[in-house]
Amino acid sequence: MSNKKNMTAYAAVSKGIIEKVTLPIPDPDDYEVLVKNEGCVFCNTTDRMIVDHLYATPDYPVIFGHESFGKVIKVGKTVTKYKLGDRVICTNAIVNGYNGTYYSSWGGFAEYGIAGDLEAYLADHGQLDEANRYRGRYRANSIIPADFS
């Protein structure tokens, strides 16, 4: 039996159908941080296109929500860009899918997400290898200034 804790997320499970789902909390690797999402809004273009299967996303089911923000609660050992307590935008609920079933197109409509430190990864590897080239963890993750309420 696994001791892995779960989170709640909202996924488009088929065209036009959104359901509440329970999934394992993502586990960040050495170049990632775990973020406790604080909020997400439904984007009437990108998210609507994902739900209506008009956007180039993985097959259903897919966790949507790219207008998200949250607080870093766990930091991978080689991360240099983020520290505990930083607030970031555009986290990913899932990286490379869960057993080929659930995917994430950003994934802000989940309790937790992952953000990646591209600079640290490139410093160690020189470039993204094929397996990491399209991993969402490196998409648009930015730190929100501390004085931004």
Side-chain angles (χ1 to χ4, degrees), residues 9-12 21 23 50 57-64 92-107 139:
Y10 290 87
V21 297
L23 299 168
I50 290 167
T57 61
D59 291 332
Y60 291 122
V62 60
I63 299 171
F64 55 95
N92 284 273
I94 301 169
V95 178
N96 286 351
Y98 282 133
N99 300 322
T101 54
Y102 281 87
Y103 296 91
S104 176
S105 186
W106 290 279
R139 274 194 241 159

Side-chain angles (χ1 to χ4, degrees), residues 9-135:
Y10 290 87
V13 295
S14 63
K15 184 176 180 179
I17 306 296
I18 299 169
E19 292 182 359
K20 182 178 176 179
V21 297
T22 301
L23 299 168
I25 294 172
D27 191 22
D29 72 14
D30 291 346
Y31 297 96
E32 298 172 338
V33 295
L34 181 63
V35 176
K36 171 72 168 130
N37 286 330
E38 297 175 323
C40 186
V41 295
F42 189 90
C43 176
N44 203 34
T45 52
T46 305
D47 289 329
R48 172 55 51 204
M49 291 174 71
I50 290 167
V51 172
D52 290 340
H53 212 260
L54 301 172
Y55 192 71
T57 61
D59 291 332
Y60 291 122
V62 60
I63 299 171
F64 55 95
H66 78 286
E67 305 291 359
S68 65
F69 63 95
K71 190 173 286 188
V72 174
I73 61 169
K74 184 177 181 183
V75 179
K77 69 180 181 180
T78 58
V79 170
T80 58
K81 179 178 179 178
Y82 306 106
K83 63 184 182 311
L84 286 175
D86 279 348
R87 292 174 67 221
V88 299
I89 62 171
C90 291
T91 63
N92 284 273
I94 301 169
V95 178
N96 286 351
Y98 282 133
N99 300 322
T101 54
Y102 281 87
Y103 296 91
S104 176
S105 186
W106 290 279
F109 282 107
E111 287 182 89
Y112 296 89
I114 293 286
D117 186 345
L118 178 60
E119 292 81 4
Y121 186 91
L122 293 176
D124 288 350
H125 300 282
Q127 65 182 8
L128 289 175
D129 60 24
E130 197 59 37
N132 285 300
R133 188 172 314 276
Y134 299 105
R135 283 183 80 170

